[in-house]
Amino acid sequence: MTDFADFQLAGGPAGRRIVVAMSGGVDSSVVAALAKASGAETIGVTLQLYDHGEATARPGACCAGRDIRDARAVCDRLGIAHYVFDHESSFRAQVVDHFADEYLAGRTPIPCVQCNMGPKFTDLFALARDLGADCLATGHYVRRMIGADGSELHRAVDPARDQSYFLFATTRDQLDFLRFPLGGMPKDRVRAIAAEMGLGVAAKPDSQDICFVPDGDYAGLVKKLRPAASDGGEIVDLSGRALGRHEGIIHYTVGQRRGLDIGGQPEPLYVVRLEPEARRVVVGPRAALAVSAARLADLNVLGPLEGPLTAKVRSMAKPVPARLHGDQLVFDAPEYGVAPGQAAVLYDGDRVLGGGWIAATEGAALAA
C-alpha cells in the first residue's frame, strides 16, 4: 500500500503511541489509518471549534457537527480511541476575533495560519503530550525531512496540494514532534487508500472556504462581529482627490480591481492601500501596486536566511527571488499585490526557511 517511514521512531513500533489530529476529512482519516497500520497505538483527537448546535446546521464548518461524527466513525472502523475536546472559546479568541480585527484594521488576514499557530498546533501539542504520545500526525500536505541540523520543513511532492505556506510559523520544536505522512502522495492516492480501507469519507469533498465563513461572505461576518466595520468613507486617488464612496473598508483588499464602482477613469484602478483611521480606500493604476520591499514582523526562522532565497507573498502566488536584510524583505524585481496582514514565506528550493507577517510595504519607483 505505502510505506510508513514518516512514522518510524527510535525503538520500532512496539510501545509507540501516535496521536492523530482528525478534522473528519479524508486526509486526516487516512493518516489515522496509516498510523494504525504501522503497529503503533493510535489515538484520534478532534478539537470542537464551534457550538455543536450552530455547527450542525452550518455546512462546510470544520471540526464540528458532521465532521466530528465522521471522525468518530473512522476511528470506530479502525478500532482506535477517539476524543473530542471543546476549544470553541480558544478558537473564537485566537482565530475568529483576530480575523475580524485584522479586516477592521485594513489588513488581509490568513485565518488558517492563525488556527495552526493556536488551536491546531499549540493546543493539540499539549493534548498529545498529556496523552503520552511519541508524535502528533496531521493530514497536511508538507514534508518533514531530517537534515544536517535536524528537522526541516519542505514542500509537498504534489505542488497542487502543497500547504507549506500555511505552516511557515511551525517552530523547530514542533517539527521534531510532528509527522506529515501525506506530503509525498498525490491526492488521488490518498482517496484510493481511504477506499481500500473502507473508510466512509473516501469520497468526501474537500472544504473550499474558510471554515467559519462557509458562505464566503467575509464582510458579513466581520460586520456581525464588529458593527463599526460598515462605516463608510471616501475612495480617493493617490493625490487624495475623492473619486467616490464606499460602505466599509472591509469590502476591499490591496490589489482589488472589481467592486470599486468608479466610472469615467482613463485607465483601470486598483486598491493601492487602505487607511482605516480615515476610513479611506486609496486607488491607483497597476504600476502603483509595485512593491520593492516589505517589512516582516514576528519572523519564524527554520533555516539559514542569508543569501538568495525565494519568497511567496500570497498563498496562490509563485515564489519570487528576494533577499532578507534584518526584517526587510527586498525583492529582486517589483512584486505586485503585496498586502499587509498576509504572510511572506521564504524558501530555498523546496525547503521552507521560515517566514513572517507583512507589516508594511515600500513602493517601487515606477512610473504611473
Side-chain angles (χ1 to χ4, degrees), residues 104-345:
L104 202 59
R107 294 186 287 268
T108 306
I110 315 176
C112 294
V113 176
Q114 292 295 330
C115 188
N116 288 331
M117 292 172 61
K120 282 194 177 172
F121 275 7
T122 305
D123 297 350
L124 274 173
F125 265 71
L127 289 170
R129 293 191 185 279
D130 287 345
L131 291 170
D134 294 292
C135 68
L136 172 66
T138 82
H140 290 101
Y141 284 83
V142 292
R143 290 177 294 158
R144 172 188 173 273
M145 303 178 72
I146 303 300
D149 297 320
S151 300
E152 299 177 356
L153 185 64
H154 288 247
R155 286 193 184 104
V157 168
D158 183 352
R161 304 300 305 180
D162 175 57
Q163 293 175 298
S164 60
Y165 181 84
F166 300 102
L167 295 176
F168 80 90
T170 305
T171 67
R172 289 179 179 269
D173 287 343
Q174 289 173 339
L175 273 181
D176 289 339
F177 194 59
L178 282 163
R179 299 294 184 273
F180 304 111
L182 305 188
M185 299 185 197
K187 182 66 177 232
D188 58 356
R189 180 58 185 144
V190 173
R191 290 198 181 277
I193 293 172
E196 291 167 10
M197 292 191 163
L199 305 183
V201 296
K204 186 175 181 178
D206 294 332
S207 57
Q208 298 296 325
D209 297 305
I210 294 174
C211 63
F212 56 89
V213 198
D215 61 359
D217 185 9
Y218 308 146
L221 173 70
V222 176
K223 285 193 290 186
K224 179 180 177 181
L225 296 174
R226 305 288 187 269
S230 59
D231 291 348
E234 289 185 324
I235 300 176
V236 303
D237 64 14
L238 296 174
S239 68
R241 179 171 61 95
L243 302 177
R245 293 193 61 81
H246 64 82
E247 296 181 357
I249 64 170
I250 59 170
H251 296 283
Y252 305 91
T253 58
V254 171
Q256 179 177 332
R257 178 182 172 185
R258 296 180 182 273
L260 292 175
D261 294 327
I262 301 174
Q265 303 302 314
E267 60 182 321
L269 295 178
Y270 300 78
V271 176
V272 175
R273 67 178 180 272
L274 301 172
E275 298 179 349
E277 292 184 0
R279 301 200 301 274
R280 296 202 306 180
V281 175
V282 181
V283 299
R286 185 177 183 275
L289 290 172
V291 167
S292 61
R295 179 170 60 84
L296 305 186
D298 300 322
L299 188 68
N300 182 53
V301 179
L302 294 174
L305 296 175
E306 301 81 13
L309 47 79
T310 60
K312 188 173 183 176
V313 295
R314 298 178 306 282
S315 62
M316 301 301 293
K318 292 182 178 180
V320 296
R323 289 177 181 267
L324 189 69
H325 302 285
D327 64 355
Q328 290 291 117
L329 180 65
V330 180
F331 301 104
D332 286 9
E335 182 67 2
Y336 293 79
V338 185
Q342 293 277 289
V345 182

Side-chain angles (χ1 to χ4, degrees), residues 345-360:
V345 182
L346 313 176
Y347 296 87
D348 176 11
D350 282 339
R351 183 183 177 186
V352 180
L353 302 178
W357 298 101
I358 299 171

Side-chain angles (χ1 to χ4, degrees), residues 32-103:
L34 296 178
K36 168 73 174 185
S38 75
E41 178 188 0
T42 303
I43 300 172
V45 171
T46 301
L47 299 181
Q48 180 176 309
L49 304 180
Y50 300 90
D51 172 80
H52 181 73
E54 177 187 0
T56 301
R58 179 186 288 179
C62 171
C63 303
R66 175 187 170 185
D67 288 322
I68 291 177
R69 294 195 298 273
D70 287 345
R72 180 173 292 118
V74 167
C75 290
D76 289 344
R77 170 75 179 177
L78 297 173
I80 64 176
H82 179 241
Y83 298 105
V84 179
F85 294 89
D86 183 356
H87 278 244
E88 180 186 357
S89 60
S90 173
F91 182 76
R92 173 67 179 259
Q94 297 181 47
V95 181
V96 180
D97 285 346
H98 179 269
F99 177 85
D101 290 338
E102 286 288 277
Y103 261 114

